[in-house]
Amino acid sequence: MHRRTRTRTSLLLSAGLLAAAPLLTACGGEAHPGAAALVDGDRIEVSSLQGQVRDVRNAQAKSPQGDQAISGTGQMGRAKLHSMIFGRVVERAAADAGVTASRKEIQQARDAAVGQAQGADKLEAMLLQRGIAPDQIEQAVRQEILLNKIAAANGANLADPAGQQKVTQILAEASKSLKIDVNPRYGDWDDAKIGLVEHRAPWINQKTKDSEAQAAEDAGAQPAPEPAP
């Protein structure tokens, strides 16, 4: 049992929670005043997002490798919003699969992670490089346990590419059911990719379509070449 817990936790240490947050160059207005996103009708407040970012930056500032950690975790606001939304997607998929993570399982997994890292301080430093503050580790471990249980409940193995693809499809369906709506300043949520993507305003989409249509029309209007003599 302990050995299986150790194996699960190694995914946390090696894969960075399965879903590394993308770096974005999002634009857009304030479509959701006070909210960073709506997930299944529930608001993720900008203040809550800012609190998570602040926890990470404060911990990084105190770290001996603080400058390196900060430079390696740019776009923290978007990265943390991705993590917060992804966490809710995992919770929905876990509920659909009928699996949970007990406090005992979380503690055992965290203890195993500390053992792998050869100390709690080293584990905290390692995860801080990935934008996870010390007070966010428990939630990260819980998420990793749920991901493995979701996989097991659906006959998938996260160590196998086919198993990873199956779990990705399960998460994509859970994501779609949550009707996620993101404030454009942070980007858009893509259910298929289970992540944030660059926001494209409707007028940009229309301009692109118009340009493509005009290009096709211009191409069709070109005279046919003269026949060879």
Side-chain angles (χ1 to χ4, degrees):
M1 181 69 68
H2 181 73
R3 190 170 186 176
R4 287 198 296 270
T5 301
R6 182 179 293 266
T7 300
R8 288 198 300 267
T9 308
S10 67
L11 291 173
L12 170 67
L13 299 178
S14 63
L17 299 179
L18 189 67
L23 297 180
L24 306 172
T25 54
C27 57
E30 193 67 40
H32 307 283
L38 300 177
V39 181
D40 201 25
D42 294 332
R43 292 164 63 92
I44 294 180
E45 301 290 349
V46 171
S47 58
S48 298
L49 172 60
Q50 290 173 338
Q52 289 223 3
V53 173
R54 187 164 51 249
D55 287 346
V56 174
R57 291 308 189 203
N58 287 343
Q60 288 177 335
K62 297 175 184 177
S63 169
Q65 295 82 31
D67 291 342
Q68 178 182 349
I70 291 172
S71 64
T73 53
Q75 308 260 355
M76 181 57 68
R78 296 184 180 97
K80 273 300 168 189
L81 180 58
H82 168 93
S83 178
M84 294 171 79
I85 296 174
F86 184 78
R88 297 196 184 195
V89 172
V90 172
E91 293 288 345
R92 170 58 63 88
D96 291 343
V99 298
T100 60
S102 69
R103 292 203 58 81
K104 182 177 180 181
E105 288 174 314
I106 293 171
Q107 188 58 55
Q108 288 177 336
R110 183 166 182 167
D111 290 344
V114 169
Q116 283 184 290
Q118 299 182 338
D121 290 345
K122 290 184 178 180
L123 175 65
E124 290 181 4
M126 186 184 305
L127 295 181
L128 196 56
Q129 295 284 341
R130 298 175 182 170
I132 301 173
D135 63 353
Q136 297 166 0
I137 293 177
E138 183 170 315
Q139 178 58 31
V141 173
R142 170 185 168 80
Q143 181 173 287
E144 198 67 27
I145 292 172
L146 290 178
L147 283 169
N148 280 274
K149 286 193 172 186
I150 291 167
N154 289 276
N157 181 359
L158 286 178
D160 178 68
Q164 293 172 13
Q165 183 176 6
K166 187 171 184 177
V167 172
T168 296
Q169 292 172 345
I170 292 167
L171 293 176
E173 288 301 316
S175 177
K176 189 181 302 182
S177 73
L178 291 172
K179 296 179 171 57
I180 298 164
D181 187 16
V182 175
N183 188 315
R185 67 183 289 191
Y186 299 104
D188 292 323
W189 185 262
D190 188 314
D191 291 319
K193 295 180 179 179
I194 323 170
L196 285 168
V197 296
E198 184 175 356
H199 175 69
R200 295 188 68 185
W203 69 268
I204 295 178
N205 294 340
Q206 187 59 49
K207 184 176 180 180
T208 300
K209 290 178 182 178
D210 291 345
S211 298
E212 291 173 348
Q214 186 62 53
E217 184 177 333
D218 292 344
Q222 290 177 358
E226 293 291 334

